[in-house]
Amino acid sequence: MIEVCQFGSEKAKKYSLVNEAGMQVALTNFGARIVEVLVPVEDNGALRNLTMAALSDEEYLAKDTYPGATIVPVAGRISGAQAKIKGRLYSFTENEPGRTLHGGVNTANEQYWEAEVDEEANSVCFTIELRDGFNGFPGNVHVKARYRLTEDNVLEVSYTAQSDKDTIFNPTNHVYFNLTGDVNQDIAEHYVRIAAQTYAPLGESNLPLGRLEPVEGTPFDFRTGGTFAQGFGLEHPQNQLVKGYDHPWVLDQVAEPVEIVSPDQKIRLTVETNQPAVVIYTYNFPSENMAAFHGAFSLECQGLPDACNQEGFGSILLEKDQLFEHQTRYGFKWQ
Ligand code: GAL
């Protein structure tokens, strides 16, 4: 049974998915968002919440509307707040000086999406229509964000989209985790493995410089496992720049390219995605105290940020009437 209840204002609903193993996932139509991921891991059978979450739409609005939300049409920063799409230059709303972050202002992460519950599939599908020209992005884009909780403890996130004009599209989910269950605890001692040979160094204003560099010999090398602490010492200029990690890694085409284990080793999170990159942000600029400094990390699977302006960063072009498909699976194991 998918339970539905109020989540703050009248328009906001919370959907709770449960499976046989007792894992629970809470979602809301406000921003087509993951609110909580709960696993029955404590000795007394209690649930541990692995995400950074708020209690209502109002609380997200007052504090930070990114956590857990669906970010569309284009995740990350767009340099110059503009891009050429099939030879034509488009300007987007600047919500940082000279840049567009996470699709601009009043974006879908602050809107109430239509929701459809599918009991049999243990899933909820949220839909929204992005209007042609909104924040400068061309095309009426019909977007679906579907979340499913499987019996093998996978939270599956699927995005599909179709536009009536050529446009750019690079969505992500902005969920933050802290596998200790406490976002006031430093994430430094989480074990991290990322199957990636290269990452994208950043320049001013957290924008990718436009080149990929080998992780070899840097704190960005998690190929054989490490901890976030290896970058939190801030020995490397790239970690100094952002006070931790806020970087894209280009993922190897392997099964489970990302794996994170809680410091008490009770919880193992793995990520599978059809997207080329993961952006990991280690909550270096806490806004409104939703978590401590370095109290959470995001795992944003997507195409490389600013791909629309950087040669060699892949294409995020979505052609008129083409079907866009993204799938990311967060798998959980506990003991
Ligand atoms: C991340 C981004 C960070 C920060 C955060 C939102 O995706 O890389 O720099 O803007 O979103 O608070």
Side-chain angles (χ1 to χ4, degrees), residues 64 66 77 96 101-102 174 176 206 246 279 281 298 300:
D64 186 345
Y66 295 132
R77 294 181 170 83
E96 286 189 347
L101 172 66
H102 293 329
H174 209 305
Y176 286 94
N206 294 5
D246 192 1
V279 175
Y281 170 57
S298 70
E300 301 158 60

Side-chain angles (χ1 to χ4, degrees), residues 159-201:
Y159 299 120
T160 55
Q162 242 170 335
S163 171
D164 61 4
K165 282 187 181 165
D166 292 335
T167 192
I168 48 176
F169 197 71
N170 185 19
T172 198
N173 182 286
H174 209 305
V175 64
Y176 286 94
F177 295 103
N178 183 326
L179 302 186
T180 69
D182 177 3
V183 291
N184 289 312
Q185 275 192 43
D186 200 307
I187 55 170
E189 295 309 323
H190 281 62
Y191 167 88
V192 182
R193 185 184 57 77
I194 308 171
Q197 313 301 316
T198 57
Y199 77 106

Side-chain angles (χ1 to χ4, degrees), residues 32-271:
R33 177 188 318 269
I34 300 168
V35 180
E36 290 169 334
V37 175
L38 299 143
V39 295
V41 75
E42 307 303 357
D43 294 337
N44 59 1
L47 296 166
R48 185 186 290 189
N49 179 29
L50 308 181
T51 65
M52 179 172 100
L55 297 172
S56 65
D57 58 341
E58 289 116 350
E59 193 185 343
Y60 282 109
L61 272 169
K63 293 183 170 170
D64 186 345
T65 55
Y66 295 132
T70 301
I71 309 291
V72 283
V74 177
R77 294 181 170 83
I78 300 178
S79 56
Q82 56 181 31
K84 272 197 180 148
I85 302 173
K86 291 232 171 149
R88 188 172 152 193
L89 188 67
Y90 289 88
S91 293
F92 314 120
T93 306
E94 286 180 27
N95 53 345
E96 286 189 347
R99 300 176 295 280
T100 306
L101 172 66
H102 293 329
V105 295
N106 297 324
T107 37
N109 52 297
E110 301 188 359
Q111 308 301 325
Y112 299 85
W113 297 46
E114 292 293 320
E116 204 181 311
V117 169
D118 182 340
E119 292 280 354
E120 211 165 302
N122 207 16
S123 80
V124 183
C125 184
F126 300 104
T127 52
I128 205 165
E129 187 90 17
L130 307 179
R131 274 183 299 103
D132 184 20
F134 183 66
N135 277 329
F137 293 92
N140 293 297
V141 188
H142 185 70
V143 185
K144 278 190 188 179
R146 181 171 181 264
Y147 296 94
R148 185 165 78 100
L149 175 61
T150 72
E151 285 307 323
D152 52 355
N153 306 321
V154 172
L155 169 57
E156 190 179 88
V157 185
S158 322
Y159 299 120
T160 55
Q162 242 170 335
S163 171
D164 61 4
K165 282 187 181 165
D166 292 335
T167 192
I168 48 176
F169 197 71
N170 185 19
T172 198
N173 182 286
H174 209 305
V175 64
Y176 286 94
F177 295 103
N178 183 326
L179 302 186
T180 69
D182 177 3
V183 291
N184 289 312
Q185 275 192 43
D186 200 307
I187 55 170
E189 295 309 323
H190 281 62
Y191 167 88
V192 182
R193 185 184 57 77
I194 308 171
Q197 313 301 316
T198 57
Y199 77 106
L202 307 178
E204 238 180 88
S205 323
N206 294 5
L207 270 166
L209 289 167
R211 56 172 197 262
L212 300 174
E213 283 183 4
V215 295
E216 176 96 53
T218 75
F220 294 83
D221 190 351
F222 289 103
R223 290 173 297 175
T224 55
T227 59
F228 285 126
Q230 72 190 40
F232 289 177
L234 308 188
E235 279 109 32
H236 193 282
Q238 278 295 313
N239 297 124
Q240 287 164 13
L241 186 71
V242 297
K243 301 199 174 97
Y245 294 100
D246 192 1
H247 292 79
W249 279 259
V250 179
L251 298 171
D252 292 347
Q253 296 302 305
V254 295
E256 302 183 343
V258 182
E259 177 185 357
I260 317 263
V261 181
S262 60
D264 65 4
Q265 304 207 345
K266 283 188 160 183
I267 295 171
R268 178 167 170 263
L269 159 59
T270 52
V271 182

Side-chain angles (χ1 to χ4, degrees), residues 52 178 182-187 282-287 289-296:
M52 179 172 100
N178 183 326
D182 177 3
V183 291
N184 289 312
Q185 275 192 43
D186 200 307
I187 55 170
T282 51
Y283 212 56
N284 314 318
F285 306 98
S287 53
N289 300 325
M290 276 188 76
F293 174 66
H294 290 169

